[in-house]
Amino acid sequence: MANKHINNKSFSIGCIEIVKKYEKKLGFGTIFNRFKTKADKLSKFVTGFVSHKLHYNQSINHATEWMNQQHILEELKLNEFEPKTGYRNLATIGRHDKAIISLIQNRLLSVYKFENTDSNMDWSSIVLFGTKANMGKHGYSRDHRPDKKQITFGISEYASPINVPLAITVQAGNVLDKQHFPITFKRTLKALNPGSLIIIDKGANTKDNKTLIKSHEHHYLFASSLSKSDDERIQNFDKQKAVFCGEKDGKKIFCQKYLDNGEYNYLYFSEKLYDDQISGKKKRIQKQIKESKEMQDKILSTRKHKQKTYQLQDFIATETLTLQKRLEKLSDKELSETLFSESITGREGVFLLISSKDLTHSQALKIYRERDSIEKMMDSLKNVIKIKPVRVWTDDEIKGALLIGFLAQLIISLMKYENENLKDFHPKTIVESIRNLTLTLEYQDDFTFRKVISNIDAINQYSLGQKSEVT
């Protein structure tokens, strides 16, 4: 007689379960099904795509293969479908991304009723594999792949202590942050209460963007590059007269505040930043001297051949090697001191924040420091949710793929927001715990089966809706 357990089936169920939980809470059916009227409901595909994104870093083709397994189809309540159906549905999601984001924001505001709606915004780029998408352009690559085409994307979130993503925007790979800002800002607007503070890095700091924020009766807090007009203030910076704003790693931070053309300027001097920048300059100088000495030795060893002439069809090209005389005249110590003196600008340890809102010196610093939450969210999207690289071919599919990643990140962020015990856990730890949750279907002699859940821990118990203290 055959072993009755021969057909037992075990598979990871945690990602599906947690997505199904938020599918109900966020109203996926109401949001997505209006965009598709035939065959299976679009919301079920979204649940499948987001579950796959949380569990794997694979292509959409792999996602459709995974979803078409019988036990996964049953969990998602889907019928078997062709791979091209998956791509079409992804394109549908991307084609309606603006409306979908708006509907998700409506649901968030309805369910959670957030009181503080200050918002952080940031932008980045990811490599695009494929050449057919119009948005694929060469630009400044944050992934250090200038040889590849890319797309840029923007994220907005509610600022600390909420830290829940609000919107994602996708643009061509050569769009700068200052150009991308209005698109992300406008997509976030409906989720903001009047007078909200928009916190942004210096890349999007332009006069037009400030005017746009103020035209909608919101405030801004920007980091700003230092200019020549700031140098006099920096030169006259007096710690005795400045406001003490706290310490970092035992080093003090001071601030002087100015009202300039209707904006509040917060000029900070950080002892730690000063030490770090001075140390960095010294290390770079030592590296430069070492490289220069190595080049000097090469030049001296080939001095007889220091000039080469090449015949290039109708042109003659001459290569000449030159030697900096001060490498020969100065000792290493003298050279190091000379280069260090030349590198000092007087701006070491100084940074500037500008706001349309009258904040205290410490408030402005604290709010801007907490902006690192959106940088962590960017890192989570890229390295935990793994929205990169993009492996689809059309603009709509690109938007759809990134929206799926956004929804996966939204779920993780809501888990952390709703459960105090999860706040200090890295998203990677949470996702790995969810992935480990396993469902085994134990088939019986009468052809029925029993469901057995295993690999339960304190974190993934939350995905089942059970109370637990995470330790």
Side-chain angles (χ1 to χ4, degrees):
M1 181 177 180
N3 189 319
K4 67 180 181 180
H5 301 299
I6 195 70
N7 292 321
N8 288 353
K9 183 73 176 179
S10 294
F11 58 96
S12 173
I13 192 65
C15 294
I16 294 176
E17 286 299 308
I18 194 65
V19 176
K20 285 165 70 174
K21 176 177 180 176
Y22 283 95
E23 172 192 18
K24 295 179 181 178
K25 185 168 286 192
L26 296 175
F28 279 10
T30 303
I31 292 173
F32 290 98
N33 292 338
R34 67 182 64 196
F35 302 113
K36 182 180 178 182
T37 57
K38 296 180 180 179
D40 286 317
K41 295 179 178 179
L42 185 59
S43 62
K44 300 303 178 184
F45 284 96
V46 173
T47 299
F49 281 135
V50 176
S51 300
H52 179 269
K53 178 56 69 177
L54 283 170
H55 202 290
Y56 300 95
N57 179 28
Q58 299 287 345
S59 64
I60 297 302
N61 190 54
H62 183 275
T64 60
E65 291 177 358
W66 175 77
M67 290 163 63
N68 265 311
Q69 298 175 91
Q70 188 57 41
H71 57 284
I72 301 297
L73 289 171
E74 290 174 0
E75 290 294 329
L76 297 174
K77 295 182 172 55
L78 272 174
N79 296 311
E80 188 174 356
F81 60 93
E82 295 292 328
K84 62 182 180 181
T85 301
Y87 282 97
R88 280 201 301 265
N89 287 333
L90 190 69
T92 298
I93 295 166
R95 189 159 50 252
H96 299 286
D97 66 331
K98 183 177 179 180
I100 289 169
I101 289 294
S102 178
L103 292 166
I104 288 171
Q105 290 174 358
N106 287 343
R107 188 70 177 186
L108 285 172
L109 293 171
S110 172
V111 174
Y112 295 96
K113 304 185 187 305
F114 302 111
E115 294 182 4
N116 175 22
T117 63
D118 292 348
S119 177
N120 298 316
M121 298 181 188
D122 202 9
W123 299 268
S124 190
S125 64
I126 50 179
V127 171
L128 180 64
F129 283 78
T131 58
K132 294 182 179 179
N134 293 326
M135 286 195 297
K137 304 289 183 183
H138 290 286
Y140 173 67
S141 176
R142 274 85 161 189
D143 291 331
H144 309 292
R145 290 297 305 271
D147 58 311
K148 289 284 188 183
K149 289 185 177 181
Q150 63 178 22
I151 55 98
T152 58
F153 71 100
I155 292 288
S156 63
E157 66 157 5
Y158 281 136
S160 185
I162 299 172
N163 302 126
V164 169
L166 290 171
I168 185 168
T169 53
V170 186
Q171 293 293 299
N174 57 358
V175 173
L176 302 176
D177 291 357
K178 63 183 179 181
Q179 299 166 320
H180 204 149
F181 168 79
I183 300 165
T184 307
F185 174 68
K186 290 175 183 178
R187 192 164 292 192
T188 307
L189 263 177
K190 71 178 301 180
L192 305 178
N193 292 334
S196 293
L197 185 65
I198 312 300
I199 307 104
I200 305 174
D201 201 2
K202 63 184 68 174
N205 182 355
T206 68
K207 182 178 179 180
D208 287 344
N209 287 341
K210 292 175 182 177
T211 300
L212 177 63
I213 293 171
K214 293 178 72 173
S215 71
H216 289 278
E217 300 183 349
H218 295 302
H219 291 287
Y220 55 80
L221 176 64
F222 280 87
S224 180
S225 299
L226 294 168
S227 64
K228 289 184 178 180
S229 62
D230 297 309
D231 288 337
E232 184 177 352
R233 288 174 176 173
I234 294 171
Q235 188 176 2
N236 296 325
F237 195 98
D238 186 349
K239 292 182 184 178
Q240 301 300 319
K241 296 180 180 179
V243 174
F244 172 66
C245 295
E247 296 184 0
K248 185 174 183 180
D249 297 339
K251 303 291 184 177
K252 296 179 180 179
I253 301 175
F254 301 90
C255 179
Q256 289 185 337
K257 179 179 175 182
Y258 308 91
L259 183 60
D260 191 4
N261 295 323
E263 291 182 321
Y264 296 93
N265 288 237
Y266 303 85
L267 190 67
Y268 294 91
F269 175 78
S270 165
E271 294 177 343
K272 182 178 186 305
L273 180 61
Y274 177 86
D275 290 346
D276 289 345
Q277 290 179 340
I278 292 296
S279 176
K281 286 177 185 287
K282 289 179 177 179
K283 288 179 180 178
R284 285 193 296 273
I285 287 169
Q286 293 305 315
K287 182 180 179 182
Q288 289 169 358
I289 291 175
K290 180 182 177 182
E291 292 174 348
S292 297
K293 291 288 186 181
E294 290 173 352
M295 179 61 72
Q296 179 191 36
D297 292 341
K298 289 181 180 180
I299 293 172
L300 291 174
S301 67
T302 60
R303 202 145 200 163
K304 292 181 180 179
H305 309 285
K306 63 180 179 180
Q307 190 175 79
K308 295 182 180 180
T309 301
Y310 304 92
Q311 182 70 41
L312 303 174
Q313 293 182 352
D314 297 331
F315 300 94
I316 294 178
T318 299
E319 173 189 72
T320 302
L321 299 178
T322 59
L323 182 65
Q324 291 187 25
K325 292 300 181 183
R326 65 179 174 178
L327 286 176
E328 296 178 325
K329 293 180 179 180
L330 300 178
S331 67
D332 285 358
K333 182 179 180 181
E334 290 172 332
L335 183 58
S336 178
E337 290 174 351
T338 299
L339 292 175
F340 177 72
S341 176
E342 291 174 356
S343 72
I344 295 299
T345 65
R347 297 178 177 182
E348 289 76 19
V350 179
F351 61 96
L352 177 65
L353 301 179
I354 295 178
S355 181
S356 61
K357 189 173 184 178
D358 187 5
L359 304 166
T360 68
H361 309 69
S362 297
Q363 275 180 328
L365 181 61
K366 179 177 183 292
I367 291 170
Y368 190 78
R369 275 181 169 177
E370 290 176 344
R371 184 190 171 280
D372 71 341
S373 62
I374 193 140
E375 294 171 358
K376 292 176 180 176
M377 186 173 291
M378 281 288 191
D379 179 73
S380 176
L381 277 165
K382 287 188 171 186
N383 300 310
V384 179
I385 305 301
K386 296 186 176 178
I387 59 172
K388 66 172 188 177
V390 178
R391 299 188 182 95
V392 289
W393 297 92
T394 70
D395 287 356
D396 286 340
E397 288 171 356
I398 290 172
K399 293 178 181 179
L402 265 67
L403 184 53
I404 292 299
F406 170 84
L407 292 172
Q409 180 62 52
L410 174 61
I411 288 171
I412 299 301
S413 297
L414 287 173
M415 288 177 66
K416 291 168 69 71
Y417 173 75
E418 293 177 350
N419 193 313
E420 186 69 29
N421 297 308
L422 296 181
K423 285 189 181 298
D424 294 331
F425 280 84
H426 192 279
K428 183 178 180 180
T429 303
I430 296 174
V431 170
E432 286 179 348
S433 172
I434 295 170
R435 290 171 181 168
N436 288 338
L437 193 64
T438 302
L439 172 64
T440 300
L441 303 177
E442 290 188 351
Y443 288 89
Q444 310 299 313
D445 289 334
D446 59 357
F447 301 106
T448 61
F449 60 84
R450 183 168 69 99
K451 292 185 176 182
V452 180
I453 299 290
S454 58
N455 297 332
I456 298 175
D457 61 29
I459 294 176
N460 61 38
Q461 279 184 22
Y462 176 72
S463 69
L464 296 174
Q466 299 178 1
K467 294 182 180 180
S468 65
E469 292 297 319
V470 179
T471 58

